[in-house]
Amino acid sequence: MSDSVIQNVQERMDKVLSNLRREFASVRAGRATPAMLDKVTVEYYGSPMPINQVAGISSPEPRLLVISPWEKSMLSEIEKAIQRSDLGLNPANDGNVIRLSIPALTEERRQELVKQVRKLAEEARISIRNVRRDGNDELKKSEKNGDLTEDEVRRFMDKIQQVTDKFIAQVDSLLEDKEKDVTQV
């Protein structure tokens, strides 16, 4: 029973970490990556779709993204979606593809991005701690119901704390890597 609680806690913390990785991938460092456009959606036959589902995105050079829509009619929609996004990029449409030139980051922008990734990391830490709390609450309920003894609950809570510490360390490691990535000139 309580092993399933710990397994559930680990799975939920894994999801938090996966989400953080996705969030970090969409934060623009100095290089062009297709993941930068993951959050940008475009109207496609009346419903919002991520750009990567209506076009191919490649990065032929470190500071250039090329977006090749599968339907030429989507060119202007994609262009408008990128302009509306908070990426601060100017798309160049040549009638066949859209080119996004990624400018070098200013020092001020780098500092903003560092603040942004630190905030994302802190949100992930909070989510992990909330998962720990939920797991501990579930163990306490099991103790009240008589399914577990006090010693068993304490032992399982220690395991949950170890899992929590491991995931917090992974968040810190991801943050450190992303900060280096953002601050590199």
Side-chain angles (χ1 to χ4, degrees):
M1 186 324 230
S2 5
D3 285 333
S4 68
V5 170
I6 290 173
Q7 188 176 0
N8 181 27
V9 163
Q10 274 185 314
E11 287 171 5
R12 288 178 57 197
M13 288 182 183
D14 260 336
K15 286 179 185 168
V16 170
L17 212 55
S18 297
N19 187 39
L20 180 65
R21 283 191 183 100
R22 266 194 313 282
E23 292 280 339
F24 276 2
S26 69
V27 172
R28 178 168 76 88
R31 288 182 298 285
T33 62
M36 291 169 50
L37 300 175
D38 283 354
K39 291 183 180 175
V40 181
T41 58
V42 61
E43 278 292 315
Y44 185 67
Y45 293 110
S47 57
M49 298 284 261
I51 288 181
N52 62 9
Q53 291 187 13
V54 296
I57 304 170
S58 62
S59 179
E61 298 171 23
R63 294 195 182 275
L64 181 71
L65 282 179
V66 176
I67 304 165
S68 308
W70 295 317
E71 295 178 26
K72 295 283 183 248
S73 61
M74 292 303 297
L75 273 170
S76 64
E77 279 293 325
I78 292 172
E79 191 174 13
K80 287 176 194 167
I82 292 169
Q83 288 169 337
R84 281 191 309 260
S85 74
D86 62 351
L87 293 173
L89 300 174
N90 280 329
N93 178 349
D94 71 1
N96 292 320
V97 297
I98 295 174
R99 286 183 174 74
L100 284 177
S101 185
I102 312 297
L105 294 173
T106 63
E107 188 56 38
E108 186 180 307
R109 181 68 178 136
R110 287 179 199 282
Q111 292 310 313
E112 286 174 25
L113 290 174
V114 166
K115 284 181 189 171
Q116 184 182 351
V117 296
R118 285 182 181 161
K119 181 175 180 262
L120 291 170
E122 185 54 33
E123 288 170 1
R125 286 188 203 102
I126 290 168
S127 295
I128 287 171
R129 289 186 204 113
N130 287 341
V131 171
R132 174 189 63 192
R133 186 196 59 225
D134 293 347
N136 287 346
D137 289 349
E138 209 170 312
L139 289 172
K140 288 174 188 171
K141 270 189 217 161
S142 295
E143 181 185 3
K144 278 185 184 168
N145 295 341
D147 298 337
L148 293 172
T149 66
E150 190 178 330
D151 289 342
E152 288 172 324
V153 168
R154 192 167 291 121
R155 191 170 53 248
F156 285 123
M157 283 179 157
D158 287 346
K159 278 186 184 177
I160 288 176
Q161 185 59 48
Q162 289 168 356
V163 169
T164 302
D165 292 343
K166 184 182 83 173
F167 277 96
I168 296 282
Q170 287 177 310
V171 167
D172 293 342
S173 172
L174 286 172
L175 174 62
E176 189 179 321
D177 293 345
K178 190 63 180 181
E179 278 184 351
K180 281 181 194 164
D181 188 28
V182 168
T183 56
Q184 273 176 4
V185 178

